[in-house]
Amino acid sequence: VLAEDYEERWLLLCGDGLSSLRVHQYRDAINNMARNFKDHYEQSILLSKALDRIIFIPGDLHAGEFHTLSPIYGLYYGGFLQAMQAALGWKRIQGNNIVKTYQQAALLALMVLTEVERQLYGAFVLEVGKTQAASLEILLGQPETLSEYLATEFLKYLETKLVNSTDQVFRMMVQYVQLTRAYRLFRKSVRTGDSIAVEAIYTMFTPVWLATGKHTYFGIGLNQPEVLYGRCPYHILQLIRENRMVKLHDGEDKDGTPMAYWSLDGLIENFQHRYKMLDFPNTLEGWQEHSVNMPLVSRCVHHSDNEYVRRYDVNSHDEKFVEGLLDGSATDIGNKKRSSKPPKRVLE
């Protein structure tokens, strides 16, 4: 039985693309049951009304960061990013599944973006120096105005070259910059808690997901405006925007930078390995009894790692601090070190 005030209640869910797909499939299944006038017609109607009060928010780590970077690798890994990876000697990145090596894949994409941007800025300044020399001379004494002018004109330059250039390689680099800039902006928006920018970038990536065959996230991109701007009351939309990202710690770091926001699914992933350290039975009673101790256990493990783990054994300590050999064979062999395993390719 539904509560009398069920129309005033909302349930907000957050998860990855598969969770979103299951929620929509279940809602569709309940709606189909309500149309066939079988035994459970009344129950299906009640469930359908309850499901209408549920709003699913895609997790900005899985649906956002992972699957805005994934199309970039799908389009530019072979023949471009892979060549950069080989030149740098990085072996851990898997271009066909960047989720497993996300941090390395993101670092490579952003490093290449910085260099490609620098090259495009060089071409832009060279062309502007020839065609708009008079305007630049006027602004030379106003550095702030000049920088704003160049930044604005650079975006127009990219759009013009994308349409008019016959150099396919140049156009590919322009598209790479535009797409990876959007991904970089998404990362920054999550870390600063800018929910409105996140909503806009989802809309921006919707056609990209369609073109690259990511139909689940294409559906999420189409569904999000309908849910947030159609079904959602304005006060609920404001609550979603305020709580879409959270901070693990308040205040600032040692450099004076405000602590970063975390996406909700990123926070959940952060907690998962801490729960696994407790190694309790995966039952309702196990969770009720042990999960409340997770923050204390996590702090204790972190403290003991920092304070009581010996970083050197006797031989490595003598070699480094007595004999003064900083790169000897015994140096920096701690109790928690593991010997490296040769790659399979070497063994073959």
Side-chain angles (χ1 to χ4, degrees), residues 55 57 199 223-230 232 237 240 244:
I55 295 177
I57 305 300
E199 294 169 14
N223 184 64
Q224 185 172 247
E226 178 183 347
V227 171
L228 295 181
Y229 313 137
C232 254
L237 176 59
I240 292 173
R244 188 163 188 160

Side-chain angles (χ1 to χ4, degrees), residues 277-326:
M277 285 192 301
L278 298 179
D279 195 23
F280 54 81
N282 189 20
T283 61
L284 180 60
E285 294 77 11
W287 280 92
Q288 290 174 341
E289 182 178 355
H290 298 285
S291 64
V292 293
N293 300 318
M294 182 273 290
L296 176 61
V297 173
S298 179
R299 290 185 178 186
C300 291
V301 171
H302 183 71
H303 178 76
S304 62
D305 282 348
N306 287 336
E307 299 295 334
Y308 301 110
V309 173
R310 292 179 56 213
R311 302 307 302 166
Y312 310 95
D313 59 14
V314 176
N315 293 332
S316 61
H317 182 276
D318 291 343
E319 187 175 73
K320 184 171 184 178
F321 295 103
V322 178
E323 300 175 13
L325 300 177
L326 301 181

